[in-house]
Amino acid sequence: MSRRRKLPCASSFSRYPVAPVSWIMSSRRKSPRSGHEADKYSVLLPTYNERENLPLIVWLLVKYFGESGFDYEIIVIDDGSPDGTLEVAQQLQRIYGEEKIVLRPRAQKLGLGTAYIHGIKHASGNFIFIMDADLSHHPKFIPEFIRIQREGDFDVVSGTRYRGDGGVYGWDLKRKLISRGANFLTQVLLRPGASDLTGSFRLYKRDVLEKLVERCVSKGYVFQMEMIVRARQLHYTIGEVPISFVDRVYGESKLGGNEIVSFVKGLLTLFATT
Amino acid sequence: MTKLVEWLVGVSVVLVAWAVVSFDLLELSLPDTYREVAWPMPLYLLVSFGCYSLATVGYRVATFNDCEEAAKELQEQIKEAKEDLRKRGLKI
């Protein structure tokens, strides 16, 4: 049996011409260049014990935003990490400046939803990126997110591991099976109009994020799912960008029975209430 | 309408149609072939859906992209980043 040749993963050099946008849009609208000069992108980085990864993710963000020329700021929301993440963040602030690195720490681990609310309050951008600080999400996709958002004037742009040349590194067969199985179940039950519901690399218009976070009540994986489901309910438009997800943590943190149970509970709750 | 309600409505409609045809509830006196075909339909549909699900998930797992280049690129960029940050005065 011949080995199926897989597509190379999403890279900053690959152009997927027909790609994600055509799945979502039926007609291309040329957005006028004027009106974009004032765009500023705030990147929310909730951190907990990311002392080693924080400098690296910040360096990558500065690199790709710098090269692209877009105006940006990085808001680090540290939840009282015992490993000194905040101290590293302060060093980064000295290196890159207080305009670019904004620190809004909290005293203890309080959860993602409230971290976003806290971050939005101090954000000066009109667009907000949310992403993981552990290097599983790569800033090289940021220009692509912005390009797709402008093309379709999307309210939300979601990174997807499941479509186009999106993909994952570091997962064994079992993990892939669980991931695809869970996603299939979610698609059947919720018909959400987005291919990757549990992904957390997204670009939102600021007011859209504010409205959505207000309405979402779940935690963890399910919170990210609920955001997309609520976005559909409120008739927001959703674009997609294939991304590569490099999981360096999977070896240490297995996906346990507990997480699967809480995922299913959350999914059923969304099924019954939205 | 929640997704749950949508499903319940959809399933009810299908079940009612099936019952009407299979058990001749409205005394339509349909030809026997209709009843013979309709009677096992729910089971057929379930089994078909089961096969479709297995095939779809199986296909998607088999074609799940492995981002080898992305991982390598990340490793290199990590090295570059550490060097650059050290030059700029970051102390870990």
Side-chain angles (χ1 to χ4, degrees):
Chain A
M1 181 162 135
S2 63
R3 254 188 128 235
R4 171 176 291 282
R5 193 173 78 74
K6 294 182 191 161
L7 295 167
C9 264
S11 75
S12 46
F13 299 111
S14 75
R15 271 286 166 257
Y16 218 74
V18 181
V21 181
S22 65
W23 296 320
I24 316 288
M25 292 169 58
S26 52
S27 66
R28 278 182 64 123
R29 258 176 25 235
K30 260 216 137 69
S31 348
R33 285 298 294 181
S34 64
H36 286 315
E37 277 77 38
D39 285 343
K40 181 170 181 182
Y41 298 87
S42 301
V43 180
L44 297 188
L45 280 185
T47 60
Y48 189 72
N49 284 345
E50 295 289 2
R51 186 196 177 83
E52 293 199 14
N53 290 328
L54 185 60
L56 304 171
I57 187 84
V58 166
W59 187 85
L60 286 169
L61 283 166
V62 169
K63 172 182 158 83
Y64 286 96
F65 265 115
E67 281 169 11
S68 67
F70 297 120
D71 192 13
Y72 70 102
E73 64 181 353
I74 303 169
I75 304 180
V76 179
I77 304 149
D78 185 54
D79 282 356
S81 301
D83 72 344
T85 303
L86 186 57
E87 193 268 326
V88 170
Q90 284 161 344
Q91 287 194 50
L92 289 166
Q93 198 176 42
R94 277 196 290 275
I95 296 174
Y96 291 112
E98 282 179 10
E99 299 245 318
K100 292 288 181 248
I101 315 284
V102 178
L103 301 185
R104 292 287 172 258
R106 304 192 296 180
Q108 58 187 76
K109 208 165 197 290
L110 289 172
L112 210 52
T114 49
Y116 291 158
I117 295 174
H118 186 72
I120 297 170
K121 273 207 276 271
H122 299 106
S124 59
N126 55 333
F127 286 97
I128 308 219
F129 271 101
I130 62 157
M131 59 192 301
D132 290 348
D134 61 1
L135 296 175
S136 52
H137 296 143
H138 200 302
K140 69 184 175 183
F141 295 107
I142 284 178
E144 187 67 10
F145 271 86
I146 296 176
R147 188 181 74 84
I148 297 285
Q149 192 283 322
R150 287 181 175 183
E151 259 180 29
D153 193 29
F154 291 112
D155 299 306
V156 183
V157 182
S158 177
T160 174
R161 296 159 292 176
Y162 299 131
R163 261 197 169 151
D165 50 356
V168 179
Y169 175 82
W171 281 3
D172 57 8
L173 185 64
K174 176 173 164 216
R175 183 69 181 86
K176 284 183 188 176
L177 192 57
I178 295 176
S179 181
R180 284 292 201 175
N183 183 257
F184 180 78
L185 190 60
T186 308
Q187 295 291 327
V188 167
L189 288 181
L190 298 181
R191 298 193 321 272
S195 61
D196 191 346
L197 278 217
T198 52
S200 49
F201 191 178
R202 298 188 184 149
L203 171 60
Y204 292 87
K205 289 185 182 169
R206 190 216 180 102
D207 52 332
V208 171
L209 182 61
E210 276 171 329
K211 285 218 183 67
L212 290 177
V213 175
E214 247 170 62
R215 283 158 206 264
C216 288
V217 296
S218 352
K219 310 250 175 287
Y221 283 126
V222 186
F223 173 75
Q224 302 294 355
M225 282 166 49
E226 195 185 352
M227 295 281 276
I228 293 283
V229 169
R230 299 264 176 229
R232 292 300 279 186
Q233 264 186 333
L234 296 172
H235 305 293
Y236 288 132
T237 52
I238 303 175
E240 293 197 308
V241 172
I243 57 164
S244 54
F245 180 91
V246 177
D247 195 340
R248 301 152 81 215
V249 172
Y250 176 54
E252 302 130 42
S253 67
K254 309 281 178 198
L255 192 66
N258 270 336
E259 282 184 299
I260 296 183
V261 165
S262 66
F263 169 81
V264 172
K265 278 209 286 212
L267 176 58
L268 292 177
T269 308
L270 283 178
F271 178 62
T273 58
T274 61
Chain B
M1 227 187 347
T2 64
K3 290 286 182 288
L4 175 61
V5 168
E6 278 179 25
W7 270 79
L8 288 176
V9 166
V11 168
S12 307
V13 165
V14 168
L15 281 181
V16 164
W18 170 76
V20 163
V21 173
S22 297
F23 303 115
D24 206 14
L25 296 179
L26 293 177
E27 272 152 48
L28 295 171
S29 305
L30 295 165
D32 276 348
T33 42
Y34 276 50
R35 286 202 289 182
E36 275 164 34
V37 167
W39 164 237
M41 265 310 166
L43 191 61
Y44 280 176
L45 288 174
L46 272 172
V47 171
S48 308
F49 178 70
C51 293
Y52 165 77
S53 305
L54 283 175
T56 305
V57 174
Y59 173 77
R60 289 175 178 174
V61 170
T63 56
F64 209 157
N65 290 328
D66 278 312
C67 304
E68 308 271 337
E69 301 87 23
K72 274 195 216 102
E73 179 190 37
L74 183 63
Q75 287 308 320
E76 283 162 14
Q77 286 183 322
I78 288 176
K79 282 199 205 95
E80 198 188 327
K82 283 184 172 162
E83 250 322 296
D84 189 40
L85 287 167
R86 205 175 328 170
K87 282 198 205 110
R88 290 178 190 248
L90 186 78
K91 292 177 190 56
I92 302 191

